[in-house]
């Protein structure tokens, strides 16, 4: 099997540059040529120089470096804790139940101001691409009907656009408003990244999550977006047939949107919480991605996510080896 052009893994949980760069050399020696480093609110506040050393050192080795706003504001995916809304309650998303959520609203001006500072900081490194990781309005698994956001900022913007008060039902107008709000937010952020001379990749949650971003072509048509991606991860207990079907469907949706607007495509393979004996699911997901013509394939995360116990695969070594084999390494 011919190697895909960009072969990467995400990497997090270590903030000692000496140890990180040792792992980067191992990653490179295995045949990978790209890495995603996470950059959380904690990193932004306390680890800037450390993170710059990590990103710059990885790039100096010849790795293509992606960086994501890991769990920032809970608007983006990730296990990192967020304290933005604890410091500024007005920034909270408000659910349809009237309760504030532990997530910032992408329409709130102070959250956007924070993200511009994050962009300026991260783009002052040798990062190649900012990875906008699963941008979404807040939701909880098992309670998907409790949608957001009905904060004062959102209600005001909705009224100005539609000339009536935002309803408490997830109507077509509300769905359109939520989606266009995320598009507007990403347009503003990705244009700022381009102004700093860096690239953008937007990773959309798969369609079965109520993220509020359903029309992927709206992302692909943004001039400031260079790549589009998705991560149709499976839950424990999913069948191999489910994995194959969902990765095939997602790959088609991605490649069609990308081809229409001349964008590159990236696919993410699940390499966390992999059950012993089910490592072959990684090979299935990778196979379907490559079959669709995708030449940029990453796994979340390095070595079966062995350093984060909640996400650790049952057999991290076999999980990593299976992904490497599926990529032809």
């Amino acid at each position: 099997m011919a190697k895909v052009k960009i072969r990467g893994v995400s990497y997090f949980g270590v903030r000692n540059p000496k140890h990180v760069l040792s792992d980067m050399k191992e990653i490179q020696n295995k045949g990978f040529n790209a890495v995603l480093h996470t950059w959380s609110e904690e990193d932004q506040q306390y680890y800037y120089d450390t993170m710059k050393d990590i990103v710059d050192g990885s790039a100096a080795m010849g790795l293509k470096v992606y960086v994501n706003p890991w769990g920032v504001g809970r608007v983006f995916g990730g296990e990192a804790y967020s304290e933005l809304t604890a410091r500024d309650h007005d920034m909270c998303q408000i659910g349809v139940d009237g309760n504030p959520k532990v997530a910032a609203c992408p329409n709130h001006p102070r959250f956007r101001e924070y993200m511009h500072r994050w962009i300026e900081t991260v783009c002052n490194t040798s990062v190649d691409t900012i990875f906008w990781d699963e941008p979404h309005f807040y939701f909880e698994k098992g309670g998907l009907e409790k949608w957001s956001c009905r904060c004062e900022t959102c209600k005001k913007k909705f009224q100005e656009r539609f000339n009536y008060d935002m309803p408490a039902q997830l109507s077509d107008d509300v769905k359109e408003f939520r989606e266009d709000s995320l598009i507007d937010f990403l347009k503003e952020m990705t244009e700022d990244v381009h102004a700093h001379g860096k690239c953008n990749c937007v990773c959309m949650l798969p369609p079965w999550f109520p993220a509020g971003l359903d029309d992927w072509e709206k992302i692909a048509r943004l001039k400031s977006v260079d790549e589009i991606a998705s991560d149709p991860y499976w839950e424990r207990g999913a069948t191999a047939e489910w994995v194959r079907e969902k990765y095939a469907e997602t790959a088609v949706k991605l490649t069609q949107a990308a081809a229409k607007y001349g964008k590159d495509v990236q696919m993410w393979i699940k390499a966390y919480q992999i059950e012993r004996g089910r490592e072959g699911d990684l090979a299935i997901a990778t196979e379907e991605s490559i079959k669709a013509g995708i030449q940029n394939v990453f796994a979340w995360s390095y070595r079966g996510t062995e350093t984060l116990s909640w996400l650790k695969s049952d057999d991290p070594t076999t999980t990593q080896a299976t992904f490497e084999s599926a990529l032809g390494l």
Side-chain angles (χ1 to χ4, degrees), residues 52-287:
K52 180 171 171 56
D53 288 345
I54 288 171
V55 171
D56 290 353
S58 300
M61 290 181 181
L63 291 169
K64 179 183 176 73
V65 180
Y66 291 74
V67 170
N68 73 333
W70 198 37
V72 172
R74 307 307 300 168
V75 171
F76 302 101
E79 288 69 38
Y81 264 64
S82 170
E83 67 174 25
L84 285 180
T85 56
R87 291 180 176 273
D88 186 345
H89 299 300
D90 189 55
M91 202 185 289
C92 287
Q93 290 186 41
I94 304 297
V96 68
D97 56 6
N99 293 323
K101 305 303 177 183
V102 289
C105 177
N107 276 324
H108 199 286
R110 288 199 292 278
F111 179 64
R112 294 194 179 203
E113 289 169 6
Y114 179 89
M115 288 309 306
H116 284 298
R117 293 194 298 273
W118 185 93
I119 289 168
E120 182 176 8
T121 301
V122 176
C123 287
N124 193 35
T125 71
S126 299
V127 63
D128 182 277
T129 301
I130 301 301
F131 181 78
W132 299 101
D133 194 351
E134 303 176 342
H136 61 277
F137 278 101
Y138 184 82
F139 66 89
E140 295 180 5
K141 292 181 180 180
L144 304 184
E145 72 283 354
K146 297 178 181 178
W147 57 273
S148 298
C149 171
R150 285 174 51 81
C151 72
E152 291 304 313
T153 300
C154 282
K155 288 195 290 187
K156 180 181 179 182
K157 284 179 172 288
F158 184 93
Q159 204 283 331
E160 290 173 348
R161 176 171 176 179
F162 293 99
N163 295 314
Y164 69 94
D165 291 340
M166 178 185 282
Q169 296 77 37
L170 195 58
S171 65
D172 288 343
D173 283 350
V174 171
K175 290 178 181 178
E176 181 181 341
F177 174 78
R178 279 163 36 102
E179 183 165 73
D180 288 350
S181 292
L182 288 172
I183 297 295
D184 180 71
F185 170 76
L186 289 166
K187 180 177 184 293
E188 181 178 327
M189 298 304 138
T190 56
E191 286 178 349
D192 191 8
V193 169
H194 263 200
H196 283 82
K198 308 295 184 178
C199 297
N200 291 290
C201 177
V202 178
C203 181
M204 280 82 69
L205 279 165
W208 50 90
F209 286 112
L213 191 57
D214 298 323
D215 187 349
W216 292 0
E217 287 193 8
K218 288 184 177 180
I219 292 293
R221 73 167 63 110
L222 292 177
K223 293 181 179 179
S224 48
V225 170
D226 305 284
E227 304 172 7
I228 59 172
S230 188
D231 49 4
Y233 301 146
W234 56 96
E235 301 286 350
R236 285 181 179 270
T239 65
E241 290 74 19
W242 189 98
V243 175
R244 186 177 299 280
E245 176 185 342
K246 295 304 181 183
Y247 266 84
E249 288 178 0
T250 304
V252 168
K253 185 173 182 178
L254 275 176
T255 54
Q256 287 181 345
K260 187 173 182 178
Y261 295 98
K263 302 301 170 72
D264 292 328
V265 181
Q266 181 184 75
M267 184 68 88
W268 282 81
I269 310 301
K270 180 181 178 181
Y272 64 88
Q273 290 184 340
I274 301 300
E275 299 166 274
R276 191 180 305 276
R278 293 298 304 274
E279 292 85 4
D281 291 339
L282 279 79
I284 292 172
T286 305
E287 176 188 341

Side-chain angles (χ1 to χ4, degrees), residues 304-321:
T305 322
E306 66 179 355
T307 62
L308 182 55
S309 58
W310 182 60
L311 293 181
K312 181 180 178 179
S313 297
D314 292 344
D315 186 345
T317 300
T318 301
T319 298
Q320 178 69 24

